[in-house]
Amino acid sequence: MNIGLWDWDTGADRVVADDTALRVMGLSRDTYDERAETWFSAVHPDDAPVTRAAAEHAVAGGGDYVAEYRVHRPDGGTAWVEGRGRGHAAPGTGGGVARLIGTVWDVTRTRATRDATEEPSRPTPDGFLAGNTGEPDPAEQASAAQRMEQRAARIAELTEGLAQALTVSDVVKAMAVPVLPLFGATALVIAAIEGRRLRVVGSFGYPKKFIDLFDTIGLDAMSPATDALRSRTPMFISSAREYDKRYPHLSDLRARGGKQAWAFLPLIASGRSVGYCVIAFDTPRTLKDEERTLLVALAGLVAHAFERARLYDAEHSRAQELQRGLLPQTLPVLPAVSAAARYIPAGPDAEAGGDWYDVIPLPSERVALVIGDVMGHGVSEAVTMGRLRAAVRTLADLDVPPDELLTRLDSLVNTLGGASSATCLYAVYDPTNCTLAFASAGHPPPAILHPDGSAYFPPLDPSPPLGLVQPPLHTVELVLPPESLVVMYTDGLVESPATDIDAGMAELGRSVTAAASRPPTGRTPYPSGPGDDSARLEDLCHRVTANLLPLGEPHLDDAALLVACTHALEPGDMASWSLPENPLAAGQARKLVRAQLGDWDLEELSMTTELLVSELVGNAIRHAEGPFHLRMLRGRTLICEVSDGSPATPRIRHAGDNDEGGRGLQLVAALSHRWGARFTATGKYIWTEQRRPGVLAPD
């Protein structure tokens, strides 16, 4: 059997020596090219890997094929033989075949009519043909053929596994399974060069404690691995005695590993060393020349697969870090809702996805709940997810209704250029009247669980995803009993190739109902109310995801889950009044504010609050139209709202030194912690927030 690693010269229709193989084998190009001509100058049939890789532009190989081979004889003559072969070939970027590893075995005499004077030929130990000195023993020939075929099958398994390997762990697995039995080895270590150190990235057959010691070797140390890397030449050590003689300072480390023979193979890709591979044996072992040649050839394949896998792992790690950085690290603690969330990636080796969620505080103690899904996986999708989340937060500051926010978000998606398809569900909860208003762009509706245990999915008109929205969108408004659960999710939680989304949503409803009906084992029932049920919601998220995405079962898509428990603002923390539509309204508003602050024991805020309310009411009387209302809320801050029936946007003017007016909103901005406006179907609200004494105000 003959084995080799070559590059394919499409112009000359021949194989040429691989530069890496030349370096690690210490052969001249002429010698290696001669072997290449000997082994692979062939009339390839249509099903040969070389032919298929060039035609299909894909990795090909694994099957047996028959080809005619021109073989150089030692006496200078040429014999044509027919042989069964197996090989793997990878396509080049410009067409043809870029890389080939192959085997030829069971070589038999053929094409006798081409040269009738040639004597019959037989394979020699190194794979070349020589003159026949006698008939081979049939039993020995059958046994040798069987061994060769088994070895060829192992090589084919390795090359196919390396072609499919994405991660470094895939490369280690692809190499360990076929290669170790191929040589009778029992352990494998693959390490990467990182700066001036060597880091083990995968191993098989060694205990972890030993690998931790192995991992401490620096690139400048004197060891068989570093010597092989510096010389770019494989090192074969046949016994523990030979190891200790060469590296006496490492005898203790060698003894802890428990092995008796080793092959240290440098991994060289694109002309540079990227790491090394160690194959170890339980007993002393002197590898034959053919075995060493095969190991060198395989190391070349592993090196390129290893480097490709490291690049994939690095990009995958960056994408995951990016996604983790873009998702909320913690959810805010708010009076209006308590919330918990989960993000479940598709798998440990899957690329980062675009599922995301957020909880955004809004003025007047309202809260925005949002969840979205950017279709696809990878860095691009993670970046798109981050841009959408940032855009939603920016639009939320404008305090526009859900349907308008998604319409504006759709316009933004259309400007991203090449962005993936994305869906989004945006909801606003108001604790003053316990209403939930939400709109969707291609996203499934939330599940609602009432305190009595009844669960349902509100009807929601189908809508296209972001980028394809056709305004106007429909806003759904619900009145929820206090302590209701709002469950928002992405399709990866409820949909799979085996489960349609309707069945998945039904199972989600059952899971939420079951999880909410009981506390964890061994614990007392949860308390209810703002700020004290985070543990309950965390446990609920755990139970729901464990039921829908059982641990250990593969799932193809990322999934996100956001659960919020709604709370009502206490009636005693709210006060509202209608105001007359005349200049007397400002004076009446001041009296109402003074009295209410007295009831709330906030008299020290009276002077500032009266001034703020007087300016807001005065501006409404002068520049807007009725009806006028004043509302005060005692939450984390003291909130004052003045509503009118005009959609005009208030703006701060730059009043001149001699102007008698135009400074009202400047005064409002100077006296309040925050202020702003939000618009409704019938007009607008101008609101202010002031810090309460002894209460930490939100940022």
Side-chain angles (χ1 to χ4, degrees), residues 97-347:
V97 179
R99 183 148 298 242
L100 171 69
I101 181 170
T103 61
V104 180
W105 72 98
D106 278 6
V107 179
T108 57
R109 171 79 175 174
T110 187
R111 301 288 288 271
T113 55
R114 174 180 291 273
D115 187 355
T117 65
E118 294 177 355
E119 59 180 293
S121 301
R122 60 177 175 81
T124 60
D126 66 354
F128 293 91
L129 295 186
N132 192 4
T133 60
E135 291 297 327
D137 179 63
E140 181 181 348
Q141 188 177 39
S143 177
Q146 184 178 13
R147 290 195 302 272
M148 290 178 182
E149 188 161 352
Q150 289 174 349
R151 177 170 290 184
R154 293 286 188 184
I155 295 171
E157 182 182 354
L158 170 65
T159 53
E160 185 174 355
L162 292 177
Q164 297 175 356
L166 287 179
T167 67
V168 169
S169 62
D170 292 340
V171 172
V172 174
K173 182 178 178 181
M175 189 172 184
V177 174
V179 170
L180 297 187
L182 182 64
F183 297 94
T186 56
L188 168 72
V189 175
I190 294 182
I193 298 176
E194 293 187 354
R196 301 303 302 170
R197 298 202 64 80
L198 298 169
R199 184 176 67 87
V200 175
V201 295
S203 64
F204 181 87
Y206 275 118
K208 184 179 184 303
K209 289 184 179 180
F210 175 76
I211 292 299
D212 292 340
L213 295 173
F214 209 92
D215 214 5
T216 61
I217 299 176
L219 194 59
D220 297 326
M222 185 166 55
S223 70
T226 54
D227 286 352
L229 281 172
R230 279 190 287 268
S231 65
R232 294 194 172 191
T233 302
M235 179 176 293
F236 302 97
I237 300 179
S238 303
S239 66
R241 182 179 179 181
E242 180 184 350
Y243 190 109
D244 292 345
K245 183 178 180 180
R246 291 192 184 190
Y247 303 96
H249 61 290
L250 296 178
S251 59
D252 183 61
L253 178 65
R254 187 271 309 159
R256 293 189 184 189
K259 304 303 178 183
Q260 299 295 314
W262 303 263
F264 294 89
L265 307 171
L267 300 180
I268 302 172
S270 303
R272 64 187 184 90
S273 299
V274 296
Y276 69 86
C277 171
V278 181
I279 295 177
F281 304 83
D282 283 343
T283 58
R285 172 75 184 276
T286 300
L287 293 170
K288 299 177 182 178
D289 289 342
E290 180 186 356
E291 292 175 318
R292 296 187 179 195
T293 301
L294 177 57
L295 277 174
V296 169
L298 296 181
L301 279 181
V302 172
H304 287 274
F306 176 68
E307 180 68 356
R308 184 184 68 245
R310 288 188 68 196
L311 294 174
Y312 174 86
D313 283 346
E315 180 178 354
H316 179 59
S317 177
R318 285 193 297 269
Q320 288 189 321
E321 290 176 3
L322 174 64
Q323 185 176 42
R324 284 192 295 266
L326 293 174
L327 289 173
Q329 301 303 302
T330 58
L331 297 179
V333 178
L334 303 170
V337 299
S338 303
R342 287 289 187 279
Y343 168 74
I344 305 98

Side-chain angles (χ1 to χ4, degrees), residues 137 139 152 241 362 420 450 453 477 584 600 645:
D137 179 63
R241 182 179 179 181
L362 298 178
S420 302
H450 286 179
E477 187 167 311
L584 298 177
W600 285 344

